[in-house]
Amino acid sequence: MSLLKSILNLIVKTVTESNSERDLEQPARPSATPRRPEPSLREPMRQQVSDWPRYFAEILSSEFPQYSVKRNVPVTDLAGYAADVFQLYATRPQQTYKAEWGAPYTFVLYQGGQPAAVVMLGDGASHSRNVKYLIARMYAKKLGLPYINFYTQCPNERGYVVSRIRQFLNA
């Protein structure tokens, strides 16, 4: 066994040294793709999915200053550790779902220290089929909170986002 281990160590050492020498011989090439300028928060971000939370946070803080906003709020922070019966799927009319199974709310808007609405970001499949999102939606409904979902594969222009949130908040 030790002979096999010695041979493997020798192979690894040889490959590592060979790669190191080759890296020293070849200068690093600049990237062929030019860097794109960072998008403005006021512009829709069609391709930068990682920036969607920042984009929405800026809209919520500037357009709805009467609300305080928290991000990534677990369902249990609002509903507690409940286990309620919902019909999420036609094939399971009476199934118990625990609040802790729900997807965390992307944003919760608070007014006067009380939750006033939920804003969720996700793709089309997550909002319509993913059980975690469906559980989160049902607990928001149970709590009487408007549940506003936005699909991140859509443009979500600023005007559209603001008008849709206002519609749900009756503002």
Side-chain angles (χ1 to χ4, degrees):
M1 188 66 158
S2 64
L3 178 62
L4 181 61
K5 200 174 209 178
S6 297
I7 293 172
L8 286 173
N9 285 337
L10 182 63
I11 292 171
V12 168
K13 182 179 176 188
T14 305
V15 169
T16 304
E17 288 174 357
S18 173
N19 287 342
S20 296
E21 289 171 7
R22 189 173 57 235
D23 290 344
L24 290 174
E25 293 170 2
Q26 297 176 351
R29 285 184 259 161
S31 174
T33 54
R35 278 191 89 172
R36 291 171 30 185
E38 190 164 318
S40 164
L41 287 178
R42 298 213 177 259
E43 296 299 316
M45 291 177 277
R46 297 172 201 271
Q47 300 302 319
Q48 286 104 18
V49 175
S50 63
D51 287 342
W52 283 114
R54 186 174 64 112
Y55 176 71
F56 274 84
E58 191 279 326
I59 290 174
L60 292 171
S61 66
S62 65
E63 299 288 337
F64 302 95
Q66 68 272 32
Y67 296 97
S68 60
V69 179
K70 289 186 182 177
R71 286 175 71 172
N72 297 323
V73 178
V75 176
T76 54
D77 282 8
L78 301 182
Y81 285 91
D84 287 341
V85 176
F86 301 124
Q87 181 179 356
L88 299 182
Y89 301 102
T91 57
R92 298 180 186 158
Q94 298 296 317
Q95 172 113 8
T96 302
Y97 297 96
K98 293 183 178 183
E100 65 228 46
W101 297 345
Y105 298 120
T106 311
F107 298 100
V108 176
L109 283 66
Y110 291 86
Q111 192 169 36
Q114 297 299 315
V118 170
V119 175
M120 286 292 272
L121 305 180
D123 62 26
S126 64
H127 286 299
S128 60
R129 286 182 237 134
N130 188 304
V131 71
K132 292 181 175 200
Y133 281 82
L134 296 173
I135 290 170
R137 175 180 280 184
M138 291 304 287
Y139 276 101
K141 182 179 178 180
K142 177 185 175 204
L143 295 168
L145 298 174
Y147 181 96
I148 312 158
N149 60 316
F150 289 94
Y151 298 104
T152 55
Q153 76 270 21
C154 295
N156 291 313
E157 275 91 7
R158 186 180 187 89
Y160 169 75
V161 171
V162 170
S163 68
R164 191 145 175 263
I165 293 173
R166 283 200 174 116
Q167 174 188 354
F168 273 87
L169 296 174
N170 297 321

